[in-house]
Amino acid sequence: MQLTRPDLARILERSVAERPTADPGWLDAPPARARVLRERVVLGPDASVPATADALFGWRIHRGAGLIIESTGLAATGVTVVQAVRAGPLWFAAPCRVVDAVREPDVAGFTYATLPHHPETGVESFRVVRDGDRVVFEIHAVARHDFWGSRILPRIAHRVQDRVTRGYLNSAGG
């Protein structure tokens, strides 16, 4: 947390050597005190899994949600990404590592886990799925507030998380 825009390139350089602070298994078995979030949106009639997957893997859905992104590449297993978001006068940097990725004709997406210095500890999964004749964008996140600021002000932390999640859904659906 800081008052000026974080130096994402420097944070990314530092984060590449870090190990994730959460296990992808949290999506199936959330730990105590974790907040579980599941959201989905049916995309428009012209949506396709490949086109939406291109936007997702290229971080365009994240940028469309209002995040500033610095990454070691397109989303793929092992890629490190640092995201920055502004909440009022404060900036938060959130380093993550992609721990799982799938890209098939009817399902595409990835899961990332938080790295040290992220305001939360958790995992988040993004999937584009063909569901019959519809294309659906899904988000599944499990996180707990391990940063002192989010533990003291959990409602504000939830509002920021909810705002970013709505941004992902709107960006994918738009």
Side-chain angles (χ1 to χ4, degrees), residues 5 8 10 14-15 19 21 23 28 38 42-43 46 51 78 85 88 104 122 127 129 134 141-142 149 159 172-173:
R5 182 175 167 167
L8 297 187
R10 186 179 59 76
R14 179 184 71 211
S15 297
R19 292 185 175 278
T21 57
D23 185 293
D28 296 321
R38 285 184 182 267
V42 176
L43 304 180
D46 296 331
V85 63
E104 297 173 0
R127 294 282 187 265
V129 181
R134 305 179 311 171
V142 176
R159 273 190 274 181

Side-chain angles (χ1 to χ4, degrees), residues 79-146:
V79 166
T80 302
V81 61
V82 180
Q83 307 162 88
V85 63
R86 189 173 186 178
L90 302 175
W91 284 90
F92 296 88
C96 298
R97 170 95 20 79
V98 177
V99 294
D100 174 58
V102 61
R103 192 151 190 178
E104 297 173 0
D106 291 332
V107 63
F110 63 87
T111 301
Y112 54 44
T114 57
L115 295 171
H117 309 292
H118 191 293
E120 312 231 326
T121 298
V123 291
E124 191 162 19
S125 174
F126 303 89
R127 294 282 187 265
V128 183
V129 181
R130 178 168 313 288
D131 182 11
D133 60 347
R134 305 179 311 171
V135 176
V136 178
F137 180 67
E138 303 174 334
I139 301 170
H140 181 191
V142 176
R144 63 180 183 215
H145 304 305
D146 285 338

